[in-house]
Structures are given as structure tokens and as C-alpha cells.
Amino acid sequence: MTTTGSNKPVVDFCADYETYYDAEYSLSKITTLEYVRSPRFELHMMSWKCPALGVHKPRRAIGDRMIQEVFDMLKGASQYVDFRLVGANSGTFDAFIADYHNGFRFMHHFDVSLMARWVLGNTLKDCKLETIATRLDVESSQELRKEAFDALGMADDGLGKKISIALSAVKGLHIH
């Protein structure tokens, strides 16, 4: 555990967000700022864990109320620790959502996809989570695969389903 200039311990908060998008409203059509600030923006699910808070297995928060409860808990705990966001794909994007929509600012943030690119360099054709999982042979690890499916609340049939199939079940979901 490290400390910041505030002398509070720094702890990791691991998260992955699922947001609403459609053919016209997506990051391929508009900028990140336009996307997050749009009245159409919906953060409908967040998978998260924070071992320092006793949450060692991924949990899901679905819908505005549950997601805000997580951030309210972090606000309370932040008087004792500084939180570092570890994002699954875009730490900057996730940190901006937390600040803009949930009123919580992480002290630091980074994302594992960019970290993988720095470490694995040109051995990756892209930084997609599926590519990284394949390169690190995540799918052959029963334990890691089970954790991925558990985080999504889905059963792994043991037949070698790709993690991306589980992710596609929630990607782009529009919850009202």
C-alpha cells in the first residue's frame, strides 16, 4: 500500500462500466466528452471490487441507485484512504464518468489495456480485452474464467465459452 501527499493510504478500486449506446449515439460517432455529457448517457452497470474494503470477489451494481450507493460508500471511505481506479479498458473514461455523473473523483487512475500494451508491446495486435485475455491465456484458466462469468452474474457452461460472449450479453443494454 502506498501513500499520497495527503499521507492517506492508496487503495485500488477495480471497475468496469457498461453504458448505453446505439447506432447514432456511440463513441465511434461523437467525442468522449460529448458522449459522457449527453442527456442520453446511461451508466447502467458497474462490475467492481475493492479488496481494501473487504470486497474480494467482483460485485455488480445495476441502475442509477445501486451505482450511486457504491460511490457514496467510496465518498465516506475517502476520508481515510485515497482511491486509485483500475479500469478494464479506459481508466480516463471511467474516471470522468465517476466525476461527472456520480460526483466522485479518484485520486489516481489507469487502465489494464494500456498497461498490457506497455508491457507486451508489439506482440498485441490491439488492446481489446479479448486480445489481452487470449495472449495471457485467460480462457484456459478455469478460475479466471469463472471469475469473469461470476462478475457478470452468468453461469459458465464449462464448454470454453469466450469471455466476450458473456460480455456481449450486457454490452449496449438499455435499462429504464
Side-chain angles (χ1 to χ4, degrees), residues 63-150:
D64 293 339
R65 184 184 56 74
M66 286 180 71
I67 292 167
Q68 191 59 53
E69 286 173 0
V70 173
F71 285 109
D72 289 345
M73 174 198 58
L74 294 178
K75 287 175 191 173
S78 66
Q79 61 186 312
Y80 306 105
V81 298
D82 285 329
F83 287 98
R84 173 175 48 205
L85 173 66
V86 180
N89 195 7
S90 174
T92 303
F93 176 70
D94 295 351
F96 181 56
I97 291 170
D99 185 19
Y100 191 80
H101 285 282
N102 300 102
F104 184 81
R105 184 167 288 188
F106 287 96
M107 181 61 74
H108 312 280
H109 62 271
F110 65 93
D111 65 80
V112 295
S113 294
L114 287 177
M115 294 295 287
R117 175 64 83 190
W118 295 336
V119 172
L120 299 173
N122 293 332
T123 63
L124 292 175
K125 66 180 181 180
D126 56 50
C127 282
K128 294 178 183 171
L129 289 177
E130 185 177 356
T131 303
I132 295 167
T134 300
R135 173 69 169 80
L136 299 176
D137 205 18
V138 170
E139 288 185 24
S140 69
S141 167
Q142 293 287 343
E143 184 177 328
L144 288 176
R145 192 170 71 226
K146 182 180 181 324
E147 283 187 22
F149 280 91
D150 286 349

Side-chain angles (χ1 to χ4, degrees), residues 24-56:
E24 295 304 315
Y25 172 70
S26 72
L27 288 170
S28 64
K29 302 276 183 168
I30 58 178
T31 69
T32 301
L33 288 177
E34 290 170 327
Y35 182 80
V36 173
R37 290 178 172 168
S38 169
R40 296 184 68 195
F41 179 84
E42 291 182 44
L43 171 60
H44 62 257
M45 185 182 88
M46 178 175 73
S47 293
W48 66 279
K49 71 179 184 177
C50 185
L53 297 178
V55 180
H56 299 277

